[in-house]
Amino acid sequence: MKQASPTRQRLTALSLIGAPLLTYPMLNLPSGDLAGIPAQFFYLFGIWAGLIALAAWVAEHKGK
Amino acid sequence: MLSGWFILLLSTVYMAILFAVARFGDARADAGKSIISANVYALSLAVYCTSWTFYGSVGRATSGGLSFLTIYIGPTLMLLMTGVILKMIRISKVHRITSIADFIASRYGKSQLLAGLVTIIAVIGVVPYIALQLKAISASLDVLLLDSDAGFLPWWLDSTFLIAGLLAVFTILFGTRHLDATERHEGMVAAVAFESVVKLLAFLAVGLFVTYGMFGGLSDLFQRAAASPELGRLLQLDSSRAGTWTAMILLSGLAIIFLPRQFQIIVVENVNESHLKRAVWLFPLYLLLINIFVLPLAIGGLLHFQGQPFNADTFVLTLPLSRGAEGLALLVFIGGLSAATGMVIVETIALSTMVCNDLVMPWLLRSSRIGASKDLSRLLIGIRRAAITLILLLGYIYFRAAGEAYALVGIGLISFAAVAQFAPAMFGGMYWKQGTRAGAVAGLLGGFAVWLYTLLLPSFARSGWIGNSFVEQGLFGIAGLKAQALFGMSGLDEISHSLWWSLLVNLGLYIIVSLNSRPDAVEAGQAERFVDVFRHSTQETDTRIWRGRASMDELVNLLERFLGPARAQQQLSIFANERGTTNWRNLPADADLVHFAEAQLAGAIGSASARVMVSSVAQEEEIGLEEVLDILDEATQVRAYSRELEAKSQELEEATTELRAVNERLRELDKMKDDFISTVTHELRTPLTSIRALSEMLHEDPRMELNDRKRFLGIIVSETERLTRLINQILDMAKLESGRAEWTTSEVDVRDVVRESMDSLGQLFREKGVALSGELPETCPLVMADRDRLTQVMINLLSNAVKFVAGETGKVHVRLSADDERVRIEVSDNGPGLTADECTVIFEKFRQGGNTMTDKPQGTGLGLPISRQIVEYFGGNLWVESEPGAGANFIFTVPLPGPEEQQ
């Protein structure tokens, strides 16, 4: 069998990690606010941005 | 005040720019210099963000807080599943898939029934969505023109209709340039990417204006919202809606690949598979950016219009207008127009291809109407153009009819739920060979029926078009059949409720029916090729499972009719070139040609119709299911064998290289042996010759003087000694090298060895007047070694040293030191020193320091090699550090025993 490329596997892993992080019950964790901005707003956009940054790094990373 | 004419002019200018961009994109594509880069591809995916995102998200956020984000998180997660999307793209390229209906139909045996079914679901599901875009344009125009004269156009012509007309013209111009639907519409993609940039900039501009211009920034907005109990609710996620949250992520994740326009952009318009790598992060980044200011805008709108009537869906327009920022409002209007037009254009192209290939063509082919016509390609293009116009018209009629019946957000999700019905047949088709046509039809029909009953009809009921008793009391008054609480399931919102039931029914039917039905031969072959697309991408198996007779003339005639004569001949020439013939007329009418013709037709009229057409001119022999499976299986096995063979031959090659290396080494050893023997005999002959010469002289001259006699005998004795020593050392060397030497290993104090050697050679040093000094530490750890052998090494080094230093001024110094791991002995002298070359050469057998050609040999040339062998036997090293004129420093180490050996 042909091996799936490591990049593809890493991206899929990101998706599988992202799914629980961006749904309940994880979303119940952040509470209160930071500098007047609700923590949940920060959490959602933060995790999302983190996933995008990691995906960009994995996808654009040259070589194996 | 904004004049109606001015806005219409602006819209027209904007559309003209779009035409220019698309024209440019097409011109570049025709010139072979595609402008579709990875970035353009990623941006064109943002056709996902329609006016529903642009206007509707804010409206949704005013009621649901952050929950609007699920619609964008789902696509992010789905896109990261690159393997799935890549497989879709690869399958579509191999099979020349033109639409999602074609994909499903082709997988399940090129079934016209399935293609039609998928098309109908897509049209019913998506036309309201197109209507929604028109409504958004109309609503935004209403807001801009609120106070101006609404009657600037005659009553029979309204601005939305004008825009719909412009869109139809655009789509027809750039969406139906080629008949071959698998060919890309690069101009259209470029225009869509351009629109994506416009809408993002417009939305960010209004977000920044409201957040930082009208209010004091993000935290100010959030704090003012938190102060009001009603708005504070929006800032908190409602954990009781956890199920809805997850359902929305699933729904939007499916929509991003199954909405006809998304399938068109992601799969059909994909130029290069590697572009996906950029899209996988750039598109989610786009989604993130366009969503940052949604909640701030919603809160800002609610705060600003407190106590006044307002429409949350148009906050992005009314907020800047309320501050007199008309320029910004116009930019926002253009942004919204971009969002709406991009979606309408791509969706219409995708739907028109499906309608033409999967609804109209099968009907035309069945009726005999087209039998007479010679060139059908014009007719096909005409059908596609009519379909575009019809779909836009349907959307417009729906928009006029539905009017204000729904909130903007409602329709979008209903469409999502409709296309989510494709999921079981699609995923099953790509990963499960057992999935059958019957299963797919049953699943799609079941899921679609449930969607219709629980989502679409209730939305009609809410508009008052049909009675709502089936929602309130249940069908026939049965409470278990309440449309939005099937079997008493309540507590879910209508979308999650419908998604859950429809997917349950869909997936259940798909699996159960698939397991209980048998695929026919075509279907089994397609299943194999779809699921194992990465192994079957060559055409070799395709031609092997077709057997029959075809006539060249008829096939060419068929191609000419559907593709047009010019294009058909062009494609035939390309095909002939690939097969090494210059004239396509000489091609044999074999399975390859039939397959080629079918693929060409599939690109134009869809796989299902193509199959029908080809089998109408080629007499295909029926091949049984078993045989197809055998052939495919065989192909797989052949591949497996060839892989095995490849591995074997590689192994063989490695073994050969190894053998060659060993052979080389053996030759070298053989040569060394020869060299050794000739050197040894030479070394032995020198003393023998002198002994013999002197003995002969003594023998022949009995009257020789006693003094001479004594001198000669002395020389004979010393030469004999040298001979003996030489022979002993050769024997020693041989024993060491063959590993037969005897070793008596015991605990040895190296200081004793050094002292003893120095003592035993003391006389030699004194005779030559060389100063010998030692430097021994107070204590020294014991090593495991053969005491006599170590002494032999030491004596060898010392006697070498004394040999090479000058008499009277010579100095030899011995230093012993020890650390945790080893004992180190240095023997340094102030002799002539060695060059770097000599430092290595002297450890070779029979090589001596000094010039052996002129000087009398001072040793046997075996001492150092033997010493090195001995030291290495104990795990140590022997080397020399020296420079010419600076003396030589011979060093050897003996390792200390490890802790476990000490015990």
Side-chain angles (χ1 to χ4, degrees), chain B residues 852-865:
Chain B
T852 43
M853 297 305 288
T854 52
D855 300 345
K856 184 172 180 291
Q858 310 224 21
T860 58
L862 283 173
L864 281 175

mmCIF file with all atom_site columns, all heavy atoms in Angstrom, chain B residues 852-865:
data_model
loop_
_atom_site.group_PDB
_atom_site.id
_atom_site.type_symbol
_atom_site.label_atom_id
_atom_site.label_alt_id
_atom_site.label_comp_id
_atom_site.label_asym_id
_atom_site.label_entity_id
_atom_site.label_seq_id
_atom_site.pdbx_PDB_ins_code
_atom_site.Cartn_x
_atom_site.Cartn_y
_atom_site.Cartn_z
_atom_site.occupancy
_atom_site.B_iso_or_equiv
_atom_site.pdbx_formal_charge
_atom_site.auth_seq_id
_atom_site.auth_comp_id
_atom_site.auth_asym_id
_atom_site.auth_atom_id
_atom_site.pdbx_PDB_model_num
ATOM 1  N N   . THR B 1 852 ? 65.149 4.514  4.786  1.00 0.00 ? 852 THR B N   1
ATOM 2  C CA  . THR B 1 852 ? 65.605 3.135  4.746  1.00 0.00 ? 852 THR B CA  1
ATOM 3  C C   . THR B 1 852 ? 66.541 2.877  3.578  1.00 0.00 ? 852 THR B C   1
ATOM 4  O O   . THR B 1 852 ? 67.233 1.875  3.525  1.00 0.00 ? 852 THR B O   1
ATOM 5  C CB  . THR B 1 852 ? 64.422 2.158  4.647  1.00 0.00 ? 852 THR B CB  1
ATOM 6  O OG1 . THR B 1 852 ? 63.512 2.688  3.713  1.00 0.00 ? 852 THR B OG1 1
ATOM 7  C CG2 . THR B 1 852 ? 63.752 1.975  5.966  1.00 0.00 ? 852 THR B CG2 1
ATOM 8  N N   . MET B 1 853 ? 66.532 3.784  2.569  1.00 0.00 ? 853 MET B N   1
ATOM 9  C CA  . MET B 1 853 ? 67.382 3.558  1.416  1.00 0.00 ? 853 MET B CA  1
ATOM 10 C C   . MET B 1 853 ? 68.851 3.817  1.738  1.00 0.00 ? 853 MET B C   1
ATOM 11 O O   . MET B 1 853 ? 69.741 3.108  1.283  1.00 0.00 ? 853 MET B O   1
ATOM 12 C CB  . MET B 1 853 ? 66.958 4.494  0.260  1.00 0.00 ? 853 MET B CB  1
ATOM 13 C CG  . MET B 1 853 ? 65.554 4.245  -0.261 1.00 0.00 ? 853 MET B CG  1
ATOM 14 S SD  . MET B 1 853 ? 65.303 2.548  -0.776 1.00 0.00 ? 853 MET B SD  1
ATOM 15 C CE  . MET B 1 853 ? 66.277 2.523  -2.259 1.00 0.00 ? 853 MET B CE  1
ATOM 16 N N   . THR B 1 854 ? 69.099 4.845  2.572  1.00 0.00 ? 854 THR B N   1
ATOM 17 C CA  . THR B 1 854 ? 70.496 5.192  2.825  1.00 0.00 ? 854 THR B CA  1
ATOM 18 C C   . THR B 1 854 ? 70.973 4.686  4.174  1.00 0.00 ? 854 THR B C   1
ATOM 19 O O   . THR B 1 854 ? 72.082 4.206  4.311  1.00 0.00 ? 854 THR B O   1
ATOM 20 C CB  . THR B 1 854 ? 70.684 6.714  2.779  1.00 0.00 ? 854 THR B CB  1
ATOM 21 O OG1 . THR B 1 854 ? 69.712 7.285  3.659  1.00 0.00 ? 854 THR B OG1 1
ATOM 22 C CG2 . THR B 1 854 ? 70.450 7.228  1.378  1.00 0.00 ? 854 THR B CG2 1
ATOM 23 N N   . ASP B 1 855 ? 70.083 4.778  5.173  1.00 0.00 ? 855 ASP B N   1
ATOM 24 C CA  . ASP B 1 855 ? 70.535 4.381  6.511  1.00 0.00 ? 855 ASP B CA  1
ATOM 25 C C   . ASP B 1 855 ? 70.439 2.883  6.679  1.00 0.00 ? 855 ASP B C   1
ATOM 26 O O   . ASP B 1 855 ? 69.651 2.218  6.029  1.00 0.00 ? 855 ASP B O   1
ATOM 27 C CB  . ASP B 1 855 ? 69.651 5.051  7.585  1.00 0.00 ? 855 ASP B CB  1
ATOM 28 C CG  . ASP B 1 855 ? 69.735 6.567  7.464  1.00 0.00 ? 855 ASP B CG  1
ATOM 29 O OD1 . ASP B 1 855 ? 70.667 7.038  6.775  1.00 0.00 ? 855 ASP B OD1 1
ATOM 30 O OD2 . ASP B 1 855 ? 68.851 7.243  8.020  1.00 0.00 ? 855 ASP B OD2 1
ATOM 31 N N   . LYS B 1 856 ? 71.222 2.380  7.563  1.00 0.00 ? 856 LYS B N   1
ATOM 32 C CA  . LYS B 1 856 ? 71.125 0.975  7.915  1.00 0.00 ? 856 LYS B CA  1
ATOM 33 C C   . LYS B 1 856 ? 69.810 0.780  8.646  1.00 0.00 ? 856 LYS B C   1
ATOM 34 O O   . LYS B 1 856 ? 69.427 1.600  9.495  1.00 0.00 ? 856 LYS B O   1
ATOM 35 C CB  . LYS B 1 856 ? 72.288 0.613  8.852  1.00 0.00 ? 856 LYS B CB  1
ATOM 36 C CG  . LYS B 1 856 ? 72.350 -0.847 9.216  1.00 0.00 ? 856 LYS B CG  1
ATOM 37 C CD  . LYS B 1 856 ? 73.648 -1.078 9.981  1.00 0.00 ? 856 LYS B CD  1
ATOM 38 C CE  . LYS B 1 856 ? 73.776 -2.540 10.370 1.00 0.00 ? 856 LYS B CE  1
ATOM 39 N NZ  . LYS B 1 856 ? 72.809 -2.928 11.365 1.00 0.00 ? 856 LYS B NZ  1
ATOM 40 N N   . PRO B 1 857 ? 69.043 -0.244 8.320  1.00 0.00 ? 857 PRO B N   1
ATOM 41 C CA  . PRO B 1 857 ? 67.774 -0.430 9.026  1.00 0.00 ? 857 PRO B CA  1
ATOM 42 C C   . PRO B 1 857 ? 68.021 -0.588 10.520 1.00 0.00 ? 857 PRO B C   1
ATOM 43 O O   . PRO B 1 857 ? 68.951 -1.292 10.923 1.00 0.00 ? 857 PRO B O   1
ATOM 44 C CB  . PRO B 1 857 ? 67.188 -1.699 8.402  1.00 0.00 ? 857 PRO B CB  1
ATOM 45 C CG  . PRO B 1 857 ? 68.312 -2.350 7.693  1.00 0.00 ? 857 PRO B CG  1
ATOM 46 C CD  . PRO B 1 857 ? 69.277 -1.289 7.311  1.00 0.00 ? 857 PRO B CD  1
ATOM 47 N N   . GLN B 1 858 ? 67.169 0.112  11.293 1.00 0.00 ? 858 GLN B N   1
ATOM 48 C CA  . GLN B 1 858 ? 67.404 0.124  12.726 1.00 0.00 ? 858 GLN B CA  1
ATOM 49 C C   . GLN B 1 858 ? 66.489 -0.828 13.473 1.00 0.00 ? 858 GLN B C   1
ATOM 50 O O   . GLN B 1 858 ? 66.558 -0.946 14.677 1.00 0.00 ? 858 GLN B O   1
ATOM 51 C CB  . GLN B 1 858 ? 67.203 1.542  13.260 1.00 0.00 ? 858 GLN B CB  1
ATOM 52 C CG  . GLN B 1 858 ? 67.961 2.541  12.448 1.00 0.00 ? 858 GLN B CG  1
ATOM 53 C CD  . GLN B 1 858 ? 68.665 3.552  13.308 1.00 0.00 ? 858 GLN B CD  1
ATOM 54 O OE1 . GLN B 1 858 ? 68.913 3.301  14.482 1.00 0.00 ? 858 GLN B OE1 1
ATOM 55 N NE2 . GLN B 1 858 ? 69.005 4.681  12.717 1.00 0.00 ? 858 GLN B NE2 1
ATOM 56 N N   . GLY B 1 859 ? 65.547 -1.432 12.771 1.00 0.00 ? 859 GLY B N   1
ATOM 57 C CA  . GLY B 1 859 ? 64.659 -2.369 13.473 1.00 0.00 ? 859 GLY B CA  1
ATOM 58 C C   . GLY B 1 859 ? 64.046 -3.319 12.477 1.00 0.00 ? 859 GLY B C   1
ATOM 59 O O   . GLY B 1 859 ? 64.451 -3.374 11.316 1.00 0.00 ? 859 GLY B O   1
ATOM 60 N N   . THR B 1 860 ? 63.086 -4.067 12.930 1.00 0.00 ? 860 THR B N   1
ATOM 61 C CA  . THR B 1 860 ? 62.479 -5.036 12.037 1.00 0.00 ? 860 THR B CA  1
ATOM 62 C C   . THR B 1 860 ? 61.290 -4.467 11.275 1.00 0.00 ? 860 THR B C   1
ATOM 63 O O   . THR B 1 860 ? 60.851 -5.042 10.294 1.00 0.00 ? 860 THR B O   1
ATOM 64 C CB  . THR B 1 860 ? 61.979 -6.236 12.830 1.00 0.00 ? 860 THR B CB  1
ATOM 65 O OG1 . THR B 1 860 ? 61.050 -5.749 13.802 1.00 0.00 ? 860 THR B OG1 1
ATOM 66 C CG2 . THR B 1 860 ? 63.097 -6.955 13.508 1.00 0.00 ? 860 THR B CG2 1
ATOM 67 N N   . GLY B 1 861 ? 60.710 -3.347 11.782 1.00 0.00 ? 861 GLY B N   1
ATOM 68 C CA  . GLY B 1 861 ? 59.512 -2.811 11.127 1.00 0.00 ? 861 GLY B CA  1
ATOM 69 C C   . GLY B 1 861 ? 58.254 -3.520 11.573 1.00 0.00 ? 861 GLY B C   1
ATOM 70 O O   . GLY B 1 861 ? 57.196 -3.350 10.986 1.00 0.00 ? 861 GLY B O   1
ATOM 71 N N   . LEU B 1 862 ? 58.380 -4.339 12.594 1.00 0.00 ? 862 LEU B N   1
ATOM 72 C CA  . LEU B 1 862 ? 57.178 -5.031 13.077 1.00 0.00 ? 862 LEU B CA  1
ATOM 73 C C   . LEU B 1 862 ? 56.799 -4.605 14.487 1.00 0.00 ? 862 LEU B C   1
ATOM 74 O O   . LEU B 1 862 ? 55.707 -4.886 14.950 1.00 0.00 ? 862 LEU B O   1
ATOM 75 C CB  . LEU B 1 862 ? 57.406 -6.543 13.053 1.00 0.00 ? 862 LEU B CB  1
ATOM 76 C CG  . LEU B 1 862 ? 57.307 -7.184 11.675 1.00 0.00 ? 862 LEU B CG  1
ATOM 77 C CD1 . LEU B 1 862 ? 57.714 -8.649 11.748 1.00 0.00 ? 862 LEU B CD1 1
ATOM 78 C CD2 . LEU B 1 862 ? 55.914 -7.058 11.108 1.00 0.00 ? 862 LEU B CD2 1
ATOM 79 N N   . GLY B 1 863 ? 57.705 -3.925 15.169 1.00 0.00 ? 863 GLY B N   1
ATOM 80 C CA  . GLY B 1 863 ? 57.463 -3.573 16.574 1.00 0.00 ? 863 GLY B CA  1
ATOM 81 C C   . GLY B 1 863 ? 56.200 -2.765 16.777 1.00 0.00 ? 863 GLY B C   1
ATOM 82 O O   . GLY B 1 863 ? 55.322 -3.138 17.567 1.00 0.00 ? 863 GLY B O   1
ATOM 83 N N   . LEU B 1 864 ? 56.062 -1.675 16.031 1.00 0.00 ? 864 LEU B N   1
ATOM 84 C CA  . LEU B 1 864 ? 54.886 -0.827 16.234 1.00 0.00 ? 864 LEU B CA  1
ATOM 85 C C   . LEU B 1 864 ? 53.581 -1.500 15.824 1.00 0.00 ? 864 LEU B C   1
ATOM 86 O O   . LEU B 1 864 ? 52.598 -1.422 16.565 1.00 0.00 ? 864 LEU B O   1
ATOM 87 C CB  . LEU B 1 864 ? 55.070 0.504  15.510 1.00 0.00 ? 864 LEU B CB  1
ATOM 88 C CG  . LEU B 1 864 ? 55.968 1.513  16.252 1.00 0.00 ? 864 LEU B CG  1
ATOM 89 C CD1 . LEU B 1 864 ? 56.200 2.750  15.404 1.00 0.00 ? 864 LEU B CD1 1
ATOM 90 C CD2 . LEU B 1 864 ? 55.355 1.900  17.596 1.00 0.00 ? 864 LEU B CD2 1
ATOM 91 N N   . PRO B 1 865 ? 53.520 -2.175 14.657 1.00 0.00 ? 865 PRO B N   1
ATOM 92 C CA  . PRO B 1 865 ? 52.268 -2.884 14.343 1.00 0.00 ? 865 PRO B CA  1
ATOM 93 C C   . PRO B 1 865 ? 51.878 -3.887 15.423 1.00 0.00 ? 865 PRO B C   1
ATOM 94 O O   . PRO B 1 865 ? 50.706 -3.983 15.795 1.00 0.00 ? 865 PRO B O   1
ATOM 95 C CB  . PRO B 1 865 ? 52.587 -3.598 13.030 1.00 0.00 ? 865 PRO B CB  1
ATOM 96 C CG  . PRO B 1 865 ? 53.682 -2.833 12.428 1.00 0.00 ? 865 PRO B CG  1
ATOM 97 C CD  . PRO B 1 865 ? 54.465 -2.219 13.554 1.00 0.00 ? 865 PRO B CD  1
#
